Amino acid sequence: MKRKWDNMASPRGARRAKAKNRSFATLLAGGLLIGAGLGWFGPDVAQRLGRREPVAQTARDVLSAQFGFCHTGGGTNCVVDGDTFWFHGEKVRVMDIDAPETHDPRCAEEAALGARATQRLQLLMNAGPFSLESGDRDTDRYGRALRVVTRGGASIGETLVAEGLAREWDGARHPWC
């Protein structure tokens, strides 16, 4: 009668034993490598690898000018109101916001808020390099270029909204009074 361990004396049994030992050795080596990796990189490696750092957007902010005010007519590098400006001879409408009117405002409150929005847009435009990004339409019905103005990847229009000087553009004008 053959015993279990007698198979190991046969060539077939020896091959099985070696294969089991190799499998175990491979598994053990893999476990050691994973453990060493976690020890090397720390227990929070999965969190750090899954975390996405913001990509610096400033490299594409290459446009700049010194902006003044141009309340009437055309201009070069000047702010018309809280959502419109001239840049290198082109009239640009900030497409992601609606600011209060400064030309023919409907009430004194709209005129005052519009003046503050205009001054703030001028300060933001003069604060450093920026980018002009196109949207789904190139121009509006008045022929103004529609652009989102960004600096460092952040919308200047959203800054005006956050400060209460404009509202997000929803496709329609709404009264400020």
Side-chain angles (χ1 to χ4, degrees), residues 4-177:
K4 209 184 210 181
W5 55 84
D6 286 344
N7 284 339
M8 296 205 189
S10 73
R12 195 170 167 192
R15 280 193 301 257
R16 283 186 193 152
K18 281 183 182 178
K20 279 186 178 180
N21 286 341
R22 265 187 262 133
S23 296
F24 178 73
T26 304
L27 195 61
L28 182 62
L32 287 173
L33 286 173
I34 290 172
L38 286 175
W40 179 265
F41 293 110
D44 64 337
V45 69
Q47 288 177 340
R48 283 189 283 132
L49 290 176
R51 184 183 321 140
R52 294 184 182 207
E53 297 296 326
V55 178
Q57 300 286 329
T58 55
R60 65 181 198 201
D61 292 338
V62 296
L63 304 174
S64 66
Q66 190 61 39
F67 288 85
F69 294 106
C70 51
H71 295 289
T72 59
T76 302
N77 305 335
C78 56
V79 174
V80 176
D81 59 23
D83 57 20
T84 307
F85 61 93
W86 285 84
F87 180 61
H88 292 306
E90 182 176 39
K91 197 171 190 179
V92 178
R93 167 73 161 74
V94 182
M95 73 181 296
D96 57 343
I97 64 168
D98 180 34
E101 295 301 321
T102 57
H103 308 296
D104 300 323
R106 295 186 179 166
C107 62
E109 292 82 15
E110 181 177 21
L113 189 60
R116 289 195 352 246
T118 303
Q119 291 170 352
R120 182 65 174 137
L121 180 58
Q122 185 216 24
L123 286 172
L124 289 168
M125 296 303 293
N126 285 331
F130 58 90
S131 296
L132 296 176
E133 299 176 8
S134 298
D136 56 347
R137 289 185 2 205
D138 195 51
T139 58
D140 67 4
R141 63 182 175 166
Y142 303 110
R144 300 177 292 189
L146 293 172
R147 301 290 183 268
V148 175
V149 185
T150 61
R151 178 173 294 112
S155 166
I156 287 178
E158 287 177 5
T159 300
L160 291 167
V161 170
E163 294 175 359
L165 299 172
R167 56 174 79 116
E168 289 183 28
W169 177 249
D170 66 0
R173 293 200 176 275
H174 301 284
W176 288 90
C177 301

